[in-house]
Amino acid sequence: MGIFSPGFTGRRRDANPLLPPGQYEVSNFPVLSAGPTPNINTDNWALSLRAANGDLKAWNWQTLLEQPIEQFTVDLHCVTRWSQFGMGWRGVSLDHLLEGIDTSAEFAMASCYGGYTTNVRTSDLVGGKAWIAFEFDGKPLAPDHGGPARLLIPHLYLWKSAKWVNNITLMDHHEFGFWETYGYHDLGDPWKEERYS
Amino acid sequence: MVEWHRATVEAIHDETATARTLALRVEDWRGQLSGQHLDLRVTAPDGYQASREYSIASGASTDPDALVEVSVEELDDGEVSPYLVRGIEVGDMIEVRGPVGGYFVWKPEQAEPIQLIAGGSGVVPLMSMLRTHAGAGHPTPMRLLYSVRAPEFVFYTEELRRLAEKSAAHVMVDYAFTRQAPQGADRSVGRLSRTEVEMLTVSPELGPTTYVCGPNAFVEQIAGWLVELGHPASRVRTERFGGV
């Protein structure tokens, strides 16, 4: 567009090829959320998965921890432009949790303690791309980061990784979640810079 | 799709020793709601670009010719904010995209009392709400509780004083200075306590919506207290600074 600011030089942090476009690197795991942090006791915690045909699977804290637990290291990218690399987590793969459930439905909605929702494609949840995560950096996941457990979908902007998740419903129809109704992108791929709709 | 718009810096003034307010003339802008933000993009002469989100300080507007104000505080490790606070000059051009966000907003059709709670530069989107409220001659109470390091770091000092004076029946502004208070202040310096939050905010029995904006630790503490004090979580909206 030919608009240049003569005094602006910048830091060239984008030179890092691991940074999606428009992002910059941080190391402090910032917190963003739209309301007060729900404090969910693990005794009262539950997670359910519902297929489009109505089939339901559910776990409490104890039965979640009995599932195969994975340790994984991922990079996270927030729509507010920070990215953090090499973050170590523990959690249970959605592939495992979805076993025995019909995942042919195209759409999914994650719902949370506190009322937050976000929509993703079912294909974003399977294939080793998503977890229910409950430990970060060797410690139980803090409430302000979505503890005791959150959805983690590192290949999408972080608002899709619903904190305090308690249900994921697969659906044959499309719906927007919380931020998506306020103009944020339906898909949210950081590499395509899908910030806003 | 939210597109980039060319913007010219029409006016600049120092807000504090470490913050400036820029008034932007934005091409094809469609106005904003109170509390929305924008993406601001600057481009170096060699084409390198960096973007950041800034809250809009101007009140709600549908006038495409109205100037759009942002108030920027310089961050120690900032990439864009040092340029906006010390570098950019009147007549320079940047690009903006937005307005963005529709949750942390106040609309004049809201009939309930409003409590605003700011930590530092978190006052910016709340100022937008106060300006809209004042501009509409709005009849509902709107209170601001503003936690800030010291008097010289207060944004919009004079305007806040005038607003509180002019509409004393509806608008109240309380300050909590954390490091240094003005001479003669009856509150000793320090962070807000839960008791102060209880005393200086619209009580839950009156059914307010409360907007809290500031650094995460501040917002986390205040929002947690509000819920403990009986405010439904759904009536406490937060906006937290993330990243640098």
Side-chain angles (χ1 to χ4, degrees), chain A residues 117-173:
Chain A
T117 58
T118 189
N119 65 294
V120 295
R121 299 299 186 269
T122 305
S123 56
D124 289 316
L125 298 174
V126 298
K129 291 183 295 210
W131 293 266
I132 299 299
F134 50 79
E135 204 178 287
F136 166 63
D137 202 16
K139 291 186 278 290
L141 185 59
D144 59 349
H145 285 302
R150 71 180 296 165
L151 179 59
L152 207 60
I153 315 177
H155 71 286
L156 300 178
Y157 282 126
L158 199 50
W159 90 80
K160 299 285 189 180
S161 291
K163 296 177 180 181
W164 315 295
V165 66
N166 65 4
N167 173 266
I168 298 173
T169 293
L170 309 184
M171 310 179 297
D172 291 320
H173 66 282

Side-chain angles (χ1 to χ4, degrees), chain B residues 115-119 126 144-145 192 201 210-213 218 222 226:
Chain B
Q115 179 67 51
L116 312 173
I117 306 180
L126 308 181
L144 170 66
L145 175 56
L192 276 168
T201 59
T210 303
Y211 297 79
V212 191
C213 185
F218 174 84
I222 301 286
L226 290 168

Side-chain angles (χ1 to χ4, degrees), chain A residues 1 3-5 7-8 10-13 24 30-37 81 144 178 182 184 195-197, chain B residues 1 6 39 43-46 48 51-52 77-79 83 93 95 97 100 102-103 216 220 236 238 240 243-244:
Chain A
M1 296 178 78
I3 296 177
F4 298 109
S5 302
F8 177 67
R11 294 248 184 86
R12 318 290 147 146
R13 292 193 258 206
Y24 58 87
V31 172
L32 295 166
S33 45
T37 295
R81 300 180 183 280
D144 59 349
F178 178 83
Y182 289 114
Y184 284 81
R195 299 178 192 276
Y196 312 119
S197 56
Chain B
M1 185 63 196
R6 293 157 61 101
D39 277 3
T43 305
D46 66 354
Y48 172 81
S51 313
R52 295 292 184 272
D77 188 36
E79 178 179 18
Y83 172 69
M93 295 192 75
E95 291 168 282
R97 180 167 67 171
V100 181
Y103 179 71
N216 181 58
E220 187 67 14
V236 178
T238 66
R240 306 158 189 246
V244 292

